[in-house]
Amino acid sequence: MLDGMFSFVLLDTRDKSFIAARDAIGITPLYIGWGLDGSVWFASEMKALSDDCERFMSFLPGHIYSSKQGGLRRWYNPPWYSESIPSTRYDPILLRESFEKAVVKRLMTDVPFGVLLSGGLDSSLVAAVAGRYMAESEAACQWGSQLHTFCVGLKGSPDLKAAREVADYLGTRHHEFHFTVQEGIDALEEVIYHIETYDVTTVRASTPMFLMSRKIKSLGVKMVLSGEGSDEIFGGYLYFHKAPNKEEFHRETCQKIKALHLYDCLRANKSTSAWGVEARVPFLDKEFINLAMNIDPEWKMVRPDLGRIEKWILRNAFDDEQNPYLPKHILYRQKEQFSDGVGYSWIDGLKDHANDQVTDAMLTHASFIYPENTPMTKEAYYYRAIFEKFFPKNAARSTVPGGPSVACSTAKAVEWDAAWSKNPDPSGRAALGVHAAAYEEGVDAKNANPMNGSPKKFQGSVEKTKAFV
């Protein structure tokens, strides 16, 4: 019956027994460690265990630990966890009402709050629903009925433009934050120290979120709603375009949700918590996940012949002609991963900086230096070196997953397209033939001039996306 986002340890003072548990998806962090003296340790940050524990690991989401029984036991057992293929027909009204309920549930607060608005589908829907219910919420009595929204990006980035348009449409009090590639690079060590991972896509996306959270806290805001989880539930990443059938599509979404605590949940929580800001994620509401994951995955499949792009069932659920939630072109905007949307030259700038820091010889010998999860690119090597400086124990490096990935896919999904194995990059632009601004095959990031924000040459244009919609 436990709901919400939580990590806790509960001590029974009568017999000194205790239990520890983590929420269903792993929205909040928790680690468990073991000392040589037989002690068991728990902490919300890995750095709190690294000195005193011989071994430690990420406490699995949806699990409970009992000192009387020992070991981890899963308490969260939803139908989708077994990855069996559901057959429930899609009901757009039911899906919309369930999401609205999830957003409203998270408006319970006694602190100033807002919404992280990138201008993409997910964050825009969160802002649209929250804005509609603000007047009826208790928070409106304390902080006013005008919703605050926040966006970060390089000047001229896709997200800044789209977020500004959404904010104007919804009538929010919008706060736009700019950062430069150099400011992001300067913050990398601090970011990796706080997020406790060397995963490439997580570092890329955490940095602008970390910088934005600092500015949000300076405004006195202590809680934000965010759009994490939608892409995992609905197959929103661009590589899902190549899913061969609904069975593999569904299994991939199940695997992505199970791994959220290692990626997007980790990023959203730790990037904001570093500055004392709490991030709440309506898409990861238990009831909403169970409803959405019980829909026949055939409805989630990308079907250009039927006019269905990624996350079509979510877009269609909020496509209300009488009382529109969002402008049509925003509602049907192509997926843009956060690390791409803040400005394409951000990723290209990171790659160029890593190229200056890591020599060819260093990368050639990477398997000897880092035999576990060996970095395959100079950018990955650079993040790994920073991580190892703060967290040198083998237990720490083992908390970070590895394997090939294209546009945030699992290793299994890389097999969906033969061309992807030649370009294993977590950026959405690595989804060749899908992203409207995809990397040119055979062209690397050296064609960028990131310090002045000039992006390299891309295939396609945003206009292609609009025409497709």
Side-chain angles (χ1 to χ4, degrees):
M1 298 299 293
L2 291 174
D3 200 1
M5 44 191 276
F6 59 84
S7 299
F8 68 79
V9 179
L10 185 62
L11 174 67
D12 188 335
T13 56
R14 294 171 298 180
D15 59 2
K16 303 299 182 183
S17 64
F18 62 88
I19 60 171
R22 190 176 184 187
D23 66 66
I25 306 299
I27 300 169
T28 61
L30 185 63
Y31 295 88
I32 179 172
W34 296 268
L36 289 174
D37 60 355
S39 57
V40 182
W41 297 61
F42 300 91
S44 59
E45 291 189 314
M46 184 169 61
K47 59 181 69 70
L49 305 178
S50 56
D51 291 337
D52 297 290
C53 295
E54 185 65 20
R55 183 172 178 265
F56 48 88
M57 58 180 277
S58 178
F59 194 106
L60 295 174
H63 280 67
I64 188 170
Y65 178 95
S66 169
S67 61
K68 292 182 178 179
Q69 298 177 348
L72 294 171
R73 176 174 56 85
R74 184 153 56 89
W75 63 265
Y76 179 56
N77 296 283
W80 61 266
Y81 206 91
S82 66
E83 301 184 15
S84 57
I85 312 303
S87 57
T88 304
R89 186 174 178 81
Y90 164 54
D91 183 337
I93 302 301
L94 186 60
L95 186 67
R96 182 170 75 192
E97 290 177 347
S98 179
F99 181 67
E100 290 179 323
K101 182 180 177 182
V103 173
V104 173
K105 184 189 297 185
R106 283 152 184 81
L107 290 179
M108 293 186 296
T109 181
D110 57 1
V111 298
F113 73 98
V115 176
L116 303 184
L117 178 63
S118 70
L121 173 69
D122 307 325
S123 63
S124 297
L125 285 179
V126 172
V129 174
R132 290 192 177 198
Y133 285 86
M134 273 291 290
E136 304 170 18
S137 70
E138 292 182 13
C141 300
Q142 293 176 291
W143 316 113
S145 59
Q146 188 177 27
L147 185 67
H148 288 253
T149 52
F150 309 94
C151 186
V152 66
L154 304 177
K155 285 189 176 180
S157 73
D159 279 2
L160 289 178
K161 180 181 178 182
R164 195 179 310 118
E165 184 176 358
V166 173
D168 290 342
Y169 180 83
L170 298 177
T172 70
R173 185 170 181 180
H174 192 55
H175 307 266
E176 191 173 280
F177 305 124
H178 300 132
F179 78 103
T180 65
V181 173
Q182 190 58 54
E183 285 175 330
I185 290 172
D186 291 343
L188 281 175
E189 289 206 8
E190 191 176 3
V191 169
I192 292 173
Y193 174 76
H194 281 289
I195 65 174
E196 302 180 318
T197 183
Y198 51 83
D199 174 69
V200 171
T201 189
T202 305
V203 175
R204 288 174 174 180
S206 293
T207 305
M209 197 169 191
F210 176 85
L211 295 174
M212 175 172 58
S213 297
R214 179 177 63 189
K215 294 181 178 180
I216 289 174
K217 181 59 182 293
S218 71
L219 296 176
V221 172
K222 297 184 178 181
M223 186 274 281
V224 291
L225 301 183
S226 192
E228 276 76 21
S230 173
D231 291 313
E232 287 73 18
I233 296 169
F234 297 104
Y237 293 107
L238 297 182
Y239 72 89
F240 277 96
H241 281 241
K242 299 296 181 75
N245 51 61
K246 71 176 186 179
E247 290 79 13
E248 288 202 42
F249 188 106
H250 181 70
R251 293 190 188 102
E252 178 72 6
T253 58
C254 292
Q255 288 296 319
K256 291 291 291 181
I257 296 173
K258 291 176 184 178
L260 267 170
H261 68 291
L262 300 172
Y263 297 104
D264 288 31
C265 287
L266 179 151
R267 167 181 54 78
N269 180 277
K270 293 186 176 181
S271 297
T272 54
S273 294
W275 298 104
V277 178
E278 175 193 356
R280 298 182 181 178
V281 282
F283 280 105
L284 297 181
D285 179 82
K286 272 185 12 180
E287 291 182 17
F288 180 75
I289 292 177
N290 290 340
L291 172 69
M293 291 302 291
N294 198 38
I295 298 172
D296 188 333
E298 183 66 39
W299 291 93
K300 298 180 182 179
M301 294 278 287
V302 179
R303 293 287 303 275
D305 56 319
L306 299 177
R308 297 181 188 172
I309 63 172
E310 68 277 354
K311 292 188 288 193
W312 175 84
I313 67 170
L314 181 63
R315 301 175 195 271
N316 180 68
F318 285 89
D319 195 350
D320 188 338
E321 295 286 353
Q322 302 301 319
N323 189 17
Y325 285 77
L326 296 168
K328 284 276 190 181
H329 63 282
I330 294 292
L331 191 61
Y332 290 93
R333 181 190 177 198
Q334 186 182 48
K335 164 66 182 174
E336 195 74 85
Q337 287 168 213
F338 183 56
S339 53
D340 287 324
V342 296
Y344 294 139
S345 55
W346 166 233
I347 290 178
D348 298 333
L350 288 173
K351 290 181 176 180
D352 277 8
H353 179 70
N355 286 338
D356 292 338
Q357 303 299 314
V358 180
T359 66
D360 292 340
M362 291 165 71
L363 188 61
T364 300
H365 299 141
S367 61
F368 298 103
I369 305 299
Y370 306 119
E372 183 180 89
N373 278 353
T374 303
M376 304 304 292
T377 66
K378 290 185 177 181
E379 184 186 9
Y381 190 107
Y382 180 58
Y383 300 156
R384 181 65 173 273
I386 296 174
F387 178 88
E388 295 278 344
K389 181 169 67 173
F390 295 124
F391 309 104
K393 284 191 174 180
N394 184 60
R397 65 182 68 100
S398 296
T399 63
V400 183
S405 174
V406 167
C408 290
S409 74
T410 65
K412 176 65 177 176
V414 174
E415 302 172 6
W416 291 351
D417 191 297
W420 289 351
S421 61
K422 304 173 185 176
N423 193 35
D425 190 289
S427 166
R429 290 180 290 156
L432 303 175
V434 176
H435 196 288
Y439 290 129
E440 284 192 9
E441 221 167 339
V443 176
D444 63 25
K446 290 183 180 179
N447 291 331
N449 185 1
M451 294 308 170
N452 61 21
S454 175
K456 67 178 183 178
K457 184 179 179 183
F458 301 116
Q459 286 183 325
S461 68
V462 176
E463 293 303 315
K464 284 188 177 180
T465 309
K466 294 178 181 177
F468 175 73
V469 170

